[in-house]
């Protein structure tokens, strides 16, 4: 089979007979949580605790996903509160 | 999967490209010998490349490792295989070993990758980053970490949905899903085993709550939190993103404890904890740091002074055995401990707990050898056949051992040990020419 440069993912997909279920599930879950977090921050800047309350999501999961979104350049860190304990986070404009 | 068969020859094979294997390879290469350096990970550098600063000098670990790693990578006498493993080692004669090297596909042609990260940006998938010890995510198309070597992307095929977005974004067309596992037949004259150590898994001690209480982390995770290439923008509790201000260290987690199968002292945990405590006091000047210890073992050059320096900075040392950790609703942690000096049971509240987990052997290295036996010591580290006079010699003539593969060891000792192993290997090659 002639394999076109830049289109080799298709080749492996066909060869492997599809995509592993686990990979598909992971992608679905990340896309869902990313959407929730970005929508929540679209209205206002929030701390991790506030995000956890608003989305009814465990705060450790918010930390993990939100910090990933900071790394991926979608969210930025805002100010820290008066007690120097919690930062707010906002969408990258 | 189809496999291609090649045959290659070198003077020496070094298994494991941590600081010990890297140093041993450099010594051999600088003496004119051709070396194949093999590591199972996507980058050379071992655990040291992941560290923040190093005791007892507080030098930046990356500043020491990066020039060394680049010298290893550019050396004309050193060939590096990452993402690769060695097996079926056979001693054919006194100056010839044969082995099988299995190179897993990286799905990226390293020589053409410019590390531009456009593939990372395009990839829609996110999974826990093993090089940040799970504290943050990374893409399925990813550069392992910013100072990795080779500095090139890799595809995590288990988490890839084969959508092709990375390929379309890559300006140099170096992503290639047609890559396959390569099996190579290798011939060498001598071998250095530098496969390092493993860390104790604190899930095996449920009373400390690791995994369940999110503000209980390991020292390796804290090492990442204080490194310049850290996962978060500052030091945060993974449970709720709070900046911690009452931090506790629990020493000897999984060390000196026969009940978890590891009766020996890990030798490095006291000192790396004292180092981290000093770095935390620098990064969070308002924070209280307490170290719960059984004994502080500050036996090396400059170590006792380093310990006293930490005390002088205000680190609180409590001689206490932790019985159990429980969690409050606000994520704070209650440590129940026996105050050894007072002979009393006490409780203390902290907002983050770091478990200083012990050093374990990297098991299974003896299984790489086919027709000779690589003896292990009573704790399953690689055995030294003449511990006092020739500590790099193993039970197999021509096979030497370097670094923490022989037992818990800090960086200076690993480098010294690599010096001994490379000298022994060179003299072995000359004697058996
Ligand atoms: C949290 C923490 C903090 C520390 N801080 C300090 C400090 O401040 N100062 C200090 O002096 N020391 C410190 N140390 C100790 C230091 O990490 C070790 O001394 C050093 O890493 C030992 O180097 P090594 O090359 O022997 O082993 P490793 O670093 O373990 O490297 C072994 C290499 O071998 C590879 N490998 C393993 N098995 C195979 C296989 N079968 N095939 C191919 N490759 C394989 C691994 O991928 C790895 O790259 C710290 C350790 C920890 C855990
Ligand atoms: S093909 Fe795989 S690695 Fe590439 S972008 Fe898609 S999911 Fe990510
Ligand atoms: S694989 Fe391509 S897109 Fe990814 S870092 Fe390398 S050159 Fe850039």
């Amino acid at each position: 089979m002639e394999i076109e440069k830049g289109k080799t993912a298709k080749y492996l997909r066909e060869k492997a007979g599809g995509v592993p279920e686990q990979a598909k599930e992971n992608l679905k879950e990340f896309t869902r949580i990313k959407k929730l977090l970005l929508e929540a921050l679209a209205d206002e800047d929030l701390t991790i605790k506030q995000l956890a309350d608003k989305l009814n999501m465990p705060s450790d999961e918010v930390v993990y996903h939100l910090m990933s979104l900071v790394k991926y350049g979608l969210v930025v860190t805002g100010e820290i509160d008066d007690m120097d304990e919690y930062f707010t986070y906002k969408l990258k404009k | 999967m189809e496999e291609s068969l090649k045959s290659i020859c070198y003077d020496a094979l070094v298994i494991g490209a941590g600081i010990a294997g890297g140093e041993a390879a450099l010594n051999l290469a600088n003496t004119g010998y051709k070396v194949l350096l093999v590591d199972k990970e996507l980058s050379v550098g071992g655990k040291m490349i992941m560290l923040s600063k190093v005791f007892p000098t507080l030098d930046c670990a990356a500043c020491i490792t990066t020039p060394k790693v680049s010298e290893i990578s550019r050396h004309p006498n050193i060939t590096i295989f990452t993402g690769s493993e060695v097996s079926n080692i056979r001693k054919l004669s006194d100056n010839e070993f044969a082995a099988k090297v299995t190179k897993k596909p990286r799905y990226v042609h390293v020589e053409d990758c410019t590390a531009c990260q456009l593939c990372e940006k395009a990839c829609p998938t996110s999974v826990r980053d093993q090089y940040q010890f799970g504290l943050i995510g990374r893409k399925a198309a990813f550069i392992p970490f910013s100072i990795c070597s080779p500095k090139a992307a890799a595809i995590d095929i288990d988490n890839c949905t084969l959508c092709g977005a990375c390929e379309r974004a890559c300006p140099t067309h170096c992503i290639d899903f047609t890559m396959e596992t390569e099996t190579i037949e290798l011939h060498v004259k001598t071998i250095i085993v530098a496969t390092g150590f493993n860390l104790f898994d604190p899930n095996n001690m449920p009373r400390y709550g690791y995994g369940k209480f999110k503000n209980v982390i390991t020292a390796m995770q804290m090492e990442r939190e204080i490194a310049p290439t850290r996962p978060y923008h500052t030091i945060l509790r993974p449970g709720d993103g709070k900046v911690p201000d009452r931090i506790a260290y629990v020493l000897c987690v999984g060390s000196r404890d026969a009940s978890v199968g590891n009766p020996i002292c890990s030798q490095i945990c006291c000192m790396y904890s004292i180092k981290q405590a000093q770095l935390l006091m620098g990064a969070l000047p308002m924070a209280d740091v307490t170290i719960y210890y059984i004994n502080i073992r500050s036996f090396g050059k400059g170590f006792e002074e380093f310990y006293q320096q930490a005390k002088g900075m205000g680190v609180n040392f409590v001689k206490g055995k932790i019985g159990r950790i429980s969690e409050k609703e606000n994520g704070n942690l209650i440590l129940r401990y026996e105050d050894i000096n007072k002979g009393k049971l006490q409780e203390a509240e902290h907002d983050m707990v770091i478990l200083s987990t012990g050093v374990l052997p990297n098991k299974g290295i003896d299984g790489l050898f086919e027709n000779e036996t690589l003896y292990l010591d009573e704790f399953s580290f690689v055995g030294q056949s003449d511990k006092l006079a020739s500590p790099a010699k193993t039970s197999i003539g021509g096979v030497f051992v370097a670094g923490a593969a022989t037992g818990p060891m800090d960086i200076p000792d690993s480098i010294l040990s690599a010096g001994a192993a490379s000298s022994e290997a060179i003299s072995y090659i000359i004697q058996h020419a």
Side-chain angles (χ1 to χ4, degrees):
Chain A
M1 173 167 106
E2 190 62 34
I3 307 157
E4 205 179 323
K5 221 178 173 183
K7 289 191 180 159
T8 58
K10 187 168 162 255
Y11 155 83
L12 189 55
R13 204 164 54 231
E14 278 165 17
K15 191 177 164 208
V19 173
E21 267 326 297
Q22 178 66 34
K24 279 197 263 182
E25 278 307 310
N26 270 344
L27 173 61
K28 230 161 81 186
E29 182 65 358
F30 172 63
T31 312
R32 183 183 72 84
I33 293 175
K34 179 168 110 180
K35 188 164 171 271
L36 284 175
L37 288 170
L38 296 181
E39 277 172 6
L41 290 174
D43 307 332
E44 54 189 329
D45 302 349
L46 293 168
T47 65
I48 286 164
K49 267 173 143 289
Q50 289 165 335
L51 275 165
D53 289 344
K54 189 168 173 178
L55 299 172
N56 198 18
M57 194 188 284
S59 56
D60 62 292
E61 275 184 40
V62 177
V63 175
Y64 167 67
H65 287 291
L66 191 72
M67 290 303 135
S68 303
L69 296 182
V70 172
K71 172 176 166 182
Y72 303 149
L74 300 170
V75 172
V76 289
T77 309
E79 300 293 311
I80 193 163
D81 62 17
D82 294 341
M83 302 289 287
D84 283 343
E85 287 185 337
Y86 293 97
F87 285 87
T88 50
Y89 297 89
K90 50 191 174 187
L91 289 188
K92 187 164 182 187
K93 293 277 167 347
Chain B
M1 237 181 215
E2 281 172 41
E3 293 184 344
S4 59
L5 258 179
K6 274 200 281 193
S7 182
I8 48 175
C9 296
Y10 289 88
D11 293 314
L13 164 68
V14 179
I15 313 173
I19 190 64
E23 179 73 13
L26 264 182
N27 292 340
L28 280 152
N30 285 336
T31 332
Y33 294 100
K34 298 272 180 203
V35 184
L36 179 68
L37 178 60
V38 176
D39 203 288
K40 63 180 169 52
E41 291 295 330
L42 293 166
S43 170
V44 303
K47 302 212 182 39
M48 185 180 173
I49 206 166
M50 300 277 121
L51 301 180
S52 54
K53 295 192 177 186
V54 288
F55 67 73
T57 55
L58 289 185
D59 283 311
C60 153
C63 309
I64 304 172
T65 324
T66 315
K68 206 151 228 159
V69 160
S70 87
E71 197 185 340
I72 296 165
S73 307
R74 287 199 318 255
H75 204 295
N77 287 344
I78 302 179
T79 302
I80 301 171
F81 284 1
T82 48
S84 303
E85 290 195 53
V86 179
S87 62
N88 304 84
I89 304 173
R90 282 148 290 138
K91 187 169 179 175
L92 304 180
S93 68
D94 273 345
N95 64 0
E96 190 180 11
F97 291 86
K100 191 171 120 180
V101 183
T102 309
K103 224 177 161 188
K104 282 183 278 166
R106 191 178 180 117
Y107 301 106
V108 172
H109 293 286
V110 166
E111 56 291 357
D112 296 329
C113 173
T114 60
C116 69
Q117 293 182 285
L118 289 174
C119 54
E120 269 187 13
K121 212 162 179 238
C123 178
T125 297
S126 178
V127 289
R128 286 198 187 260
D129 184 347
Q130 71 271 42
Y131 295 107
Q132 296 285 12
F133 296 87
L135 292 171
I136 195 169
R138 61 146 172 84
K139 299 298 187 77
F142 69 114
I143 304 216
F145 46 92
S146 59
I147 54 170
C148 68
S149 178
K151 180 89 190 264
I155 307 293
D156 169 1
I157 205 70
D158 296 332
N159 287 298
C160 168
T161 59
L162 294 170
C163 69
C166 54
E167 262 194 303
R168 290 190 290 277
C170 176
T172 66
H173 304 297
C174 62
I175 297 175
D176 180 357
F177 287 95
T178 69
M179 279 183 160
E180 293 190 352
T181 301
E182 277 183 84
T183 309
I184 299 155
E185 174 79 10
L186 171 69
H187 290 262
V188 291
K189 297 172 183 156
T190 183
I191 296 173
I192 294 181
V193 177
T195 43
F197 63 103
N198 285 341
L199 283 165
F200 177 78
D201 177 0
N203 283 305
N204 294 327
M205 286 180 101
R207 63 195 165 96
Y208 292 153
Y210 182 78
K212 190 164 148 210
F213 308 146
K214 303 299 174 186
N215 298 323
V216 177
I217 64 169
T218 65
M220 202 63 196
Q221 289 177 312
M222 181 48 92
E223 204 62 54
R224 295 308 307 147
E225 282 220 29
I226 45 188
T229 51
R230 57 193 170 204
Y232 310 148
H233 50 92
T234 183
I235 296 150
L236 299 176
R237 304 203 302 186
D240 62 358
K242 177 177 181 270
V243 179
D245 64 5
R246 268 177 298 163
I247 303 164
Y249 276 83
V250 180
L251 263 52
C252 298
V253 176
S255 307
R256 305 171 68 192
D257 187 346
S259 72
V260 291
N262 189 32
I264 60 170
C265 168
S266 290
Q267 298 191 27
I268 54 171
C269 321
C270 289
M271 293 313 291
Y272 73 55
S273 306
I274 293 172
K275 166 191 76 177
Q276 291 189 1
Q278 294 190 28
L279 295 174
L280 281 170
M281 301 221 34
L284 305 170
M286 301 309 285
D288 289 329
V289 183
T290 304
I291 295 184
Y292 294 90
Y293 68 97
I294 305 174
N295 304 103
I296 293 291
R297 297 197 159 162
S298 50
F299 57 88
K301 189 173 173 182
F303 288 10
E304 181 60 23
E305 292 76 6
F306 194 66
Y307 171 32
Q308 295 306 332
Q309 178 175 300
K311 279 187 176 168
M313 286 172 76
V315 177
N316 184 22
F317 286 85
V318 175
K319 195 170 170 71
K321 253 187 165 165
I322 308 293
R324 193 165 45 87
I325 297 176
S326 52
E327 187 183 43
K328 285 177 65 176
E329 206 170 317
N330 64 2
N332 284 0
L333 300 146
I334 306 292
L335 272 64
R336 207 173 144 76
Y337 66 99
E338 179 199 341
D339 187 317
I340 298 173
N341 287 337
K342 294 186 186 141
K344 271 204 324 207
L345 281 181
Q346 308 262 41
E347 281 193 354
E349 183 170 337
H350 293 274
D351 62 3
M352 196 168 179
V353 171
I354 292 109
L355 304 177
S356 300
T357 53
V359 170
L360 296 182
N362 182 359
K363 284 193 177 162
I365 304 305
D366 51 337
L368 308 184
F369 292 82
E370 232 173 52
N371 65 345
E372 299 261 349
T373 306
L374 184 77
Y375 284 112
L376 305 180
D377 69 14
E378 58 193 305
F379 306 111
S380 298
F381 288 97
V382 176
Q384 295 153 290
S385 63
D386 189 354
K387 211 170 181 173
L388 286 179
S390 293
K393 280 191 178 153
T394 68
S395 56
I396 307 174
V399 177
F400 304 95
V401 62
T406 59
M409 208 177 274
D410 63 15
I411 294 160
D413 283 352
S414 299
I415 291 177
L416 279 170
S417 152
S422 46
S423 308
E424 294 266 17
I426 292 165
S427 106
Y428 183 88
I429 298 177
I430 294 170
Q431 278 173 33
H432 295 89

